[in-house]
Amino acid sequence: MATSGKLMTIGQAARASGVSAKMIRYYDDIDLFRPEARSDTGYRLFSPTDVHALRFIKRARDLGFSVDEIRRLLTLWQDQSRASADVKALAMEHVRELEARIQQLEAMVRTLRHLADHCQGNERPECPILDDLAGQASPEADAVTGNRVRHSRASTGL
Amino acid sequence: MATSGKLMTIGQAARASGVSAKMIRYYDDIDLFRPEARSDTGYRLFSPTDVHALRFIKRARDLGFSVDEIRRLLTLWQDQSRASADVKALAMEHVRELEARIQQLEAMVRTLRHLADHCQGNERPECPILDDLAGQASPEADAVTGNRVRHSRASTGL
DNA sequence: ATGCACCTTCCCACAATGGGAAGGTCAACC
DNA sequence: GGTTGACCTTCCCATTGTGGGAAGGTGCAT
C-alpha cells in the first residue's frame, strides 16, 4: 500500500485540512490519528491520505462527535467490511445525545423567558428573576392567569 | 447585622442546599461565596443565610448561568438599590447564548438526520454518513428530490 | 480511650482547545 | 560560510465545573 504521494509538513496539512497544527499534534498524542511518517529530524510528514483523514475528523467534530466517537467512526471508515447499520447506530445515538442537550437548554430558556416576562426591567429593584433564584416566588400577580404566583418556581424539568 | 442563627458544618450545608461539599469548597476557593465563619479548628461554619445563598447559586447553575454570571447575579441580589433592568438584561443575554447553542445543536441534528435518512442501515458497507464525513457526497439518488446528490455535503451552518 | 463520621488541604483527572517558551531545522539570500 | 526568518519540536500552563482520593486533624458517643 504505497499511500504517500508528496509529503507535507504539519503547517501545510493544517491549512489543507482546516485542523490547527496544535490539534493535529494532540490527535497524534492521544492516538486518534498518526501521520504517515517522520523526517529524520523529527518533523511529522503528511500524505494526501493523511489530510483526507484530518478533514474527516474535522467534519465529524463540526457535527459534534466526541473524539471517542470519532475513533469509532474512523475504524468503521477504514473497515471495508463494515455494516452501514453500525455507522447509522452510532450516528443516531449521537443524535439522541444532542437532542437531550437541546431539551435541557430549551427548558432553561423557557423558564428564563417566563421569569423575564414578568420582570418590569426598569430602575426599580423588585425582580421576579432574583426572587425565583432566591427560592421565593415573586408576590406579583400573574399577568396571564390573574392568580397569585403560587407556582413554586417554574420547573426546568431537569 | 447579626445574620447567624445556628451554624452548621459543610456536610449539613451541602445536604440543605443541594450543592456538594466539594463544590462549596470550590466556590469558596474562587471567591464566589464565603461562608459565615470558621471554627477555631478550621471548620467552615454556615448560617441559614449562607445556605440560602447556596441554593441561589444552585438554582442559577441549573438554569445554565456560568459561575461568572452568577457572581454578577449575587451582587445584584445583595444590592438593594439595583435596577431590575440590569437583572433582566443579564438574564436575556444568557438566553441569547443558550439559544445560539441550541441553534448549533439543531443544525447538527438536521444534518445527521438527513444523512441517516439516506443510510440503508443494513449489513452492507455503503454508507452516506461516512461518505459525507469523508468529503465525498454519496452517489445515491436523493430520495426526496430525485436529483443526484450534488449538495456538496449538507451544511451545518456553523 | 477507642472508633467512626466528619472535616481540612492538596493533588489528579476529565475534554478539547489555545498560548507561549525554549530550542532545533530548513531554505533563501548575501 | 553565515545570517535571518519561517517553521518545526516538546513541554508546561490555562480554561470550566465537577468528582475522586490521599493524608491527616476533629468531634462526639460509647
Short mmCIF file of all heavy atoms in Angstrom, two decimals, chain A residues 80-122:
data_model
loop_
_atom_site.label_atom_id
_atom_site.label_comp_id
_atom_site.label_asym_id
_atom_site.label_seq_id
_atom_site.Cartn_x
_atom_site.Cartn_y
_atom_site.Cartn_z
N GLN A 80 -13.46 -2.11 5.47
CA GLN A 80 -14.19 -2.34 4.22
C GLN A 80 -15.40 -3.24 4.42
O GLN A 80 -16.36 -3.18 3.67
CB GLN A 80 -13.26 -2.97 3.17
CG GLN A 80 -12.17 -2.02 2.67
CD GLN A 80 -12.75 -0.70 2.16
OE1 GLN A 80 -13.85 -0.64 1.64
NE2 GLN A 80 -12.02 0.39 2.32
N SER A 81 -15.35 -4.06 5.45
CA SER A 81 -16.46 -4.99 5.66
C SER A 81 -17.43 -4.53 6.74
O SER A 81 -18.13 -5.33 7.35
CB SER A 81 -15.90 -6.37 6.02
OG SER A 81 -15.30 -6.30 7.30
N ARG A 82 -17.42 -3.23 6.98
CA ARG A 82 -18.35 -2.68 7.98
C ARG A 82 -19.80 -2.88 7.53
O ARG A 82 -20.06 -3.08 6.33
CB ARG A 82 -18.12 -1.18 8.13
CG ARG A 82 -18.58 -0.45 6.89
CD ARG A 82 -18.16 0.99 6.80
NE ARG A 82 -18.35 1.47 5.44
CZ ARG A 82 -17.36 1.91 4.67
NH1 ARG A 82 -16.11 1.95 5.10
NH2 ARG A 82 -17.61 2.31 3.43
N ALA A 83 -20.70 -2.77 8.50
CA ALA A 83 -22.13 -2.75 8.16
C ALA A 83 -22.61 -1.32 8.32
O ALA A 83 -22.35 -0.70 9.36
CB ALA A 83 -22.90 -3.68 9.10
N SER A 84 -23.31 -0.80 7.36
CA SER A 84 -23.76 0.59 7.45
C SER A 84 -24.68 0.75 8.66
O SER A 84 -24.82 1.85 9.19
CB SER A 84 -24.48 1.02 6.17
OG SER A 84 -25.69 0.30 6.01
N ALA A 85 -25.28 -0.35 9.09
CA ALA A 85 -26.14 -0.30 10.28
C ALA A 85 -25.35 0.18 11.49
O ALA A 85 -25.88 0.90 12.33
CB ALA A 85 -26.74 -1.67 10.56
N ASP A 86 -24.09 -0.22 11.57
CA ASP A 86 -23.27 0.18 12.72
C ASP A 86 -22.99 1.68 12.70
O ASP A 86 -23.01 2.35 13.73
CB ASP A 86 -21.95 -0.58 12.72
CG ASP A 86 -22.14 -2.06 13.03
OD1 ASP A 86 -23.24 -2.42 13.51
OD2 ASP A 86 -21.21 -2.84 12.79
N VAL A 87 -22.73 2.18 11.50
CA VAL A 87 -22.48 3.61 11.37
C VAL A 87 -23.75 4.38 11.74
O VAL A 87 -23.72 5.33 12.53
CB VAL A 87 -22.09 3.98 9.93
CG1 VAL A 87 -21.80 5.47 9.83
CG2 VAL A 87 -20.89 3.18 9.47
N LYS A 88 -24.83 3.92 11.20
CA LYS A 88 -26.11 4.59 11.44
C LYS A 88 -26.45 4.58 12.93
O LYS A 88 -26.91 5.58 13.48
CB LYS A 88 -27.21 3.89 10.65
CG LYS A 88 -28.53 4.65 10.63
CD LYS A 88 -29.49 4.07 9.60
CE LYS A 88 -30.79 4.85 9.53
NZ LYS A 88 -31.63 4.40 8.39
N ALA A 89 -26.20 3.45 13.57
CA ALA A 89 -26.50 3.35 15.01
C ALA A 89 -25.68 4.36 15.79
O ALA A 89 -26.20 5.06 16.68
CB ALA A 89 -26.21 1.93 15.50
N LEU A 90 -24.41 4.46 15.43
CA LEU A 90 -23.54 5.41 16.11
C LEU A 90 -24.06 6.83 15.90
O LEU A 90 -24.15 7.62 16.85
CB LEU A 90 -22.12 5.27 15.54
CG LEU A 90 -20.94 5.46 16.48
CD1 LEU A 90 -19.65 5.04 15.80
CD2 LEU A 90 -20.83 6.89 16.94
N ALA A 91 -24.41 7.13 14.68
CA ALA A 91 -24.89 8.48 14.37
C ALA A 91 -26.19 8.78 15.11
O ALA A 91 -26.35 9.87 15.67
CB ALA A 91 -25.10 8.62 12.86
N MET A 92 -27.08 7.82 15.13
CA MET A 92 -28.37 8.07 15.77
C MET A 92 -28.24 8.18 17.28
O MET A 92 -28.96 8.94 17.92
CB MET A 92 -29.38 6.99 15.38
CG MET A 92 -29.82 7.09 13.92
SD MET A 92 -30.28 8.78 13.41
CE MET A 92 -31.81 9.00 14.32
N GLU A 93 -27.30 7.44 17.84
CA GLU A 93 -27.10 7.58 19.28
C GLU A 93 -26.60 9.00 19.57
O GLU A 93 -27.02 9.63 20.53
CB GLU A 93 -26.09 6.55 19.78
CG GLU A 93 -26.22 6.28 21.28
CD GLU A 93 -24.93 5.77 21.86
OE1 GLU A 93 -24.32 4.85 21.27
OE2 GLU A 93 -24.51 6.31 22.91
N HIS A 94 -25.73 9.46 18.71
CA HIS A 94 -25.22 10.82 18.87
C HIS A 94 -26.36 11.84 18.73
O HIS A 94 -26.44 12.80 19.49
CB HIS A 94 -24.14 11.07 17.82
CG HIS A 94 -23.56 12.45 17.87
ND1 HIS A 94 -23.08 13.02 19.03
CD2 HIS A 94 -23.41 13.39 16.92
CE1 HIS A 94 -22.66 14.24 18.77
NE2 HIS A 94 -22.84 14.49 17.51
N VAL A 95 -27.24 11.59 17.79
CA VAL A 95 -28.38 12.49 17.60
C VAL A 95 -29.21 12.54 18.89
O VAL A 95 -29.65 13.60 19.31
CB VAL A 95 -29.26 12.03 16.42
CG1 VAL A 95 -30.62 12.71 16.46
CG2 VAL A 95 -28.56 12.31 15.10
N ARG A 96 -29.39 11.39 19.49
CA ARG A 96 -30.17 11.37 20.73
C ARG A 96 -29.50 12.17 21.84
O ARG A 96 -30.16 12.89 22.59
CB ARG A 96 -30.43 9.93 21.17
CG ARG A 96 -31.58 9.27 20.40
CD ARG A 96 -31.93 7.91 20.98
NE ARG A 96 -30.86 6.93 20.77
CZ ARG A 96 -30.69 6.22 19.65
NH1 ARG A 96 -31.52 6.37 18.64
NH2 ARG A 96 -29.68 5.37 19.55
N GLU A 97 -28.17 12.06 21.91
CA GLU A 97 -27.43 12.86 22.91
C GLU A 97 -27.65 14.34 22.63
O GLU A 97 -27.91 15.13 23.54
CB GLU A 97 -25.92 12.56 22.84
CG GLU A 97 -25.51 11.19 23.33
CD GLU A 97 -24.08 10.84 22.89
OE1 GLU A 97 -23.36 11.76 22.44
OE2 GLU A 97 -23.70 9.66 22.98
N LEU A 98 -27.50 14.71 21.37
CA LEU A 98 -27.67 16.11 21.00
C LEU A 98 -29.06 16.59 21.36
O LEU A 98 -29.24 17.68 21.92
CB LEU A 98 -27.44 16.30 19.49
CG LEU A 98 -26.02 16.09 18.97
CD1 LEU A 98 -26.00 16.20 17.44
CD2 LEU A 98 -25.07 17.13 19.56
N GLU A 99 -30.04 15.77 21.08
CA GLU A 99 -31.42 16.18 21.35
C GLU A 99 -31.69 16.29 22.85
O GLU A 99 -32.44 17.17 23.28
CB GLU A 99 -32.39 15.23 20.67
CG GLU A 99 -32.38 15.47 19.16
CD GLU A 99 -33.38 14.62 18.40
OE1 GLU A 99 -33.69 13.51 18.86
OE2 GLU A 99 -33.83 15.09 17.33
N ALA A 100 -31.04 15.46 23.62
CA ALA A 100 -31.21 15.56 25.07
C ALA A 100 -30.65 16.89 25.55
O ALA A 100 -31.26 17.58 26.37
CB ALA A 100 -30.49 14.40 25.76
N ARG A 101 -29.50 17.26 25.00
CA ARG A 101 -28.91 18.54 25.41
C ARG A 101 -29.81 19.69 24.97
O ARG A 101 -29.98 20.68 25.69
CB ARG A 101 -27.51 18.69 24.82
CG ARG A 101 -26.49 17.82 25.53
CD ARG A 101 -25.20 17.67 24.75
NE ARG A 101 -24.56 18.95 24.44
CZ ARG A 101 -23.58 19.10 23.55
NH1 ARG A 101 -23.13 18.05 22.90
NH2 ARG A 101 -23.05 20.28 23.33
N ILE A 102 -30.36 19.56 23.78
CA ILE A 102 -31.26 20.61 23.29
C ILE A 102 -32.46 20.75 24.24
O ILE A 102 -32.86 21.85 24.60
CB ILE A 102 -31.74 20.29 21.87
CG1 ILE A 102 -30.59 20.44 20.87
CG2 ILE A 102 -32.91 21.18 21.48
CD1 ILE A 102 -30.90 19.95 19.47
N GLN A 103 -33.02 19.62 24.65
CA GLN A 103 -34.16 19.64 25.57
C GLN A 103 -33.82 20.42 26.84
O GLN A 103 -34.59 21.26 27.30
CB GLN A 103 -34.57 18.22 25.98
CG GLN A 103 -35.08 17.36 24.84
CD GLN A 103 -36.35 17.91 24.23
OE1 GLN A 103 -37.27 18.24 24.95
NE2 GLN A 103 -36.39 18.03 22.91
N GLN A 104 -32.65 20.10 27.39
CA GLN A 104 -32.23 20.78 28.62
C GLN A 104 -32.14 22.28 28.41
O GLN A 104 -32.65 23.08 29.20
CB GLN A 104 -30.87 20.26 29.07
CG GLN A 104 -30.89 18.82 29.55
CD GLN A 104 -29.55 18.40 30.11
OE1 GLN A 104 -28.57 19.13 29.99
NE2 GLN A 104 -29.51 17.23 30.74
N LEU A 105 -31.45 22.66 27.34
CA LEU A 105 -31.26 24.08 27.07
C LEU A 105 -32.61 24.76 26.85
O LEU A 105 -32.83 25.88 27.33
CB LEU A 105 -30.36 24.27 25.85
CG LEU A 105 -28.93 23.74 26.02
CD1 LEU A 105 -28.14 23.91 24.72
CD2 LEU A 105 -28.22 24.48 27.16
N GLU A 106 -33.50 24.08 26.16
CA GLU A 106 -34.81 24.69 25.90
C GLU A 106 -35.61 24.87 27.19
O GLU A 106 -36.32 25.86 27.35
CB GLU A 106 -35.59 23.86 24.89
CG GLU A 106 -35.10 24.11 23.47
CD GLU A 106 -35.84 23.29 22.42
OE1 GLU A 106 -36.47 22.28 22.80
OE2 GLU A 106 -35.77 23.66 21.23
N ALA A 107 -35.46 23.92 28.09
CA ALA A 107 -36.16 24.06 29.37
C ALA A 107 -35.65 25.29 30.11
O ALA A 107 -36.42 26.06 30.68
CB ALA A 107 -35.95 22.80 30.21
N MET A 108 -34.34 25.49 30.06
CA MET A 108 -33.76 26.67 30.71
C MET A 108 -34.30 27.94 30.07
O MET A 108 -34.70 28.88 30.77
CB MET A 108 -32.23 26.65 30.56
CG MET A 108 -31.54 25.50 31.28
SD MET A 108 -29.75 25.52 30.93
CE MET A 108 -29.27 23.94 31.63
N VAL A 109 -34.31 27.95 28.75
CA VAL A 109 -34.79 29.14 28.04
C VAL A 109 -36.24 29.42 28.40
O VAL A 109 -36.61 30.58 28.66
CB VAL A 109 -34.64 28.95 26.51
CG1 VAL A 109 -35.42 30.03 25.77
CG2 VAL A 109 -33.17 28.99 26.11
N ARG A 110 -37.04 28.39 28.41
CA ARG A 110 -38.46 28.59 28.73
C ARG A 110 -38.62 29.25 30.10
O ARG A 110 -39.34 30.22 30.26
CB ARG A 110 -39.20 27.25 28.73
CG ARG A 110 -39.82 26.86 27.41
CD ARG A 110 -40.85 25.73 27.59
NE ARG A 110 -40.31 24.57 28.29
CZ ARG A 110 -39.59 23.62 27.69
NH1 ARG A 110 -39.30 23.69 26.41
NH2 ARG A 110 -39.13 22.60 28.39
N THR A 111 -37.92 28.66 31.08
CA THR A 111 -38.02 29.19 32.43
C THR A 111 -37.56 30.64 32.50
O THR A 111 -38.23 31.50 33.07
CB THR A 111 -37.17 28.35 33.40
OG1 THR A 111 -37.61 27.01 33.35
CG2 THR A 111 -37.27 28.88 34.81
N LEU A 112 -36.42 30.90 31.89
CA LEU A 112 -35.87 32.25 31.95
C LEU A 112 -36.77 33.26 31.24
O LEU A 112 -36.98 34.37 31.72
CB LEU A 112 -34.47 32.28 31.35
CG LEU A 112 -33.41 31.65 32.27
CD1 LEU A 112 -32.10 31.43 31.53
CD2 LEU A 112 -33.19 32.56 33.48
N ARG A 113 -37.29 32.86 30.11
CA ARG A 113 -38.16 33.78 29.38
C ARG A 113 -39.42 34.06 30.20
O ARG A 113 -39.91 35.18 30.25
CB ARG A 113 -38.57 33.17 28.03
CG ARG A 113 -37.54 33.34 26.96
CD ARG A 113 -38.17 33.28 25.57
NE ARG A 113 -37.16 33.45 24.54
CZ ARG A 113 -36.65 34.63 24.19
NH1 ARG A 113 -37.05 35.73 24.79
NH2 ARG A 113 -35.75 34.69 23.25
N HIS A 114 -39.92 33.01 30.81
CA HIS A 114 -41.10 33.17 31.65
C HIS A 114 -40.83 34.18 32.76
O HIS A 114 -41.62 35.09 33.00
CB HIS A 114 -41.52 31.82 32.23
CG HIS A 114 -42.66 31.89 33.19
ND1 HIS A 114 -43.96 32.07 32.77
CD2 HIS A 114 -42.69 31.85 34.54
CE1 HIS A 114 -44.75 32.12 33.83
NE2 HIS A 114 -44.00 31.98 34.92
N LEU A 115 -39.70 33.98 33.43
CA LEU A 115 -39.36 34.89 34.52
C LEU A 115 -39.15 36.31 34.00
O LEU A 115 -39.63 37.28 34.58
CB LEU A 115 -38.10 34.41 35.23
CG LEU A 115 -38.25 33.10 36.01
CD1 LEU A 115 -36.89 32.63 36.51
CD2 LEU A 115 -39.21 33.29 37.18
N ALA A 116 -38.43 36.41 32.91
CA ALA A 116 -38.13 37.74 32.37
C ALA A 116 -39.40 38.46 31.91
O ALA A 116 -39.51 39.68 32.03
CB ALA A 116 -37.14 37.62 31.21
N ASP A 117 -40.34 37.67 31.44
CA ASP A 117 -41.61 38.28 31.01
C ASP A 117 -42.29 39.02 32.15
O ASP A 117 -43.04 39.98 31.91
CB ASP A 117 -42.57 37.19 30.50
CG ASP A 117 -42.23 36.77 29.09
OD1 ASP A 117 -41.33 37.40 28.48
OD2 ASP A 117 -42.83 35.79 28.60
N HIS A 118 -42.06 38.52 33.35
CA HIS A 118 -42.74 39.14 34.49
C HIS A 118 -41.87 40.18 35.18
O HIS A 118 -42.25 40.72 36.21
CB HIS A 118 -43.17 38.06 35.49
CG HIS A 118 -44.20 37.15 34.90
ND1 HIS A 118 -45.46 37.58 34.54
CD2 HIS A 118 -44.15 35.84 34.57
CE1 HIS A 118 -46.14 36.57 34.02
NE2 HIS A 118 -45.37 35.50 34.02
N CYS A 119 -40.70 40.41 34.61
CA CYS A 119 -39.81 41.41 35.21
C CYS A 119 -40.01 42.73 34.49
O CYS A 119 -39.95 42.80 33.25
CB CYS A 119 -38.36 40.95 35.08
SG CYS A 119 -37.17 42.18 35.65
N GLN A 120 -40.27 43.75 35.27
CA GLN A 120 -40.52 45.07 34.69
C GLN A 120 -39.34 45.56 33.85
O GLN A 120 -39.52 46.21 32.84
CB GLN A 120 -40.76 46.08 35.82
CG GLN A 120 -41.97 45.77 36.69
CD GLN A 120 -43.28 46.02 35.94
OE1 GLN A 120 -43.48 47.11 35.40
NE2 GLN A 120 -44.14 45.03 35.89
N GLY A 121 -38.13 45.27 34.33
CA GLY A 121 -36.96 45.74 33.61
C GLY A 121 -36.84 47.26 33.64
O GLY A 121 -36.57 47.89 32.63
N ASN A 122 -37.04 47.77 34.83
CA ASN A 122 -36.93 49.23 34.96
C ASN A 122 -35.87 49.58 36.00
O ASN A 122 -35.01 48.77 36.30
CB ASN A 122 -38.29 49.83 35.33
CG ASN A 122 -38.85 49.20 36.60
OD1 ASN A 122 -38.10 48.60 37.38
ND2 ASN A 122 -40.15 49.34 36.81
#
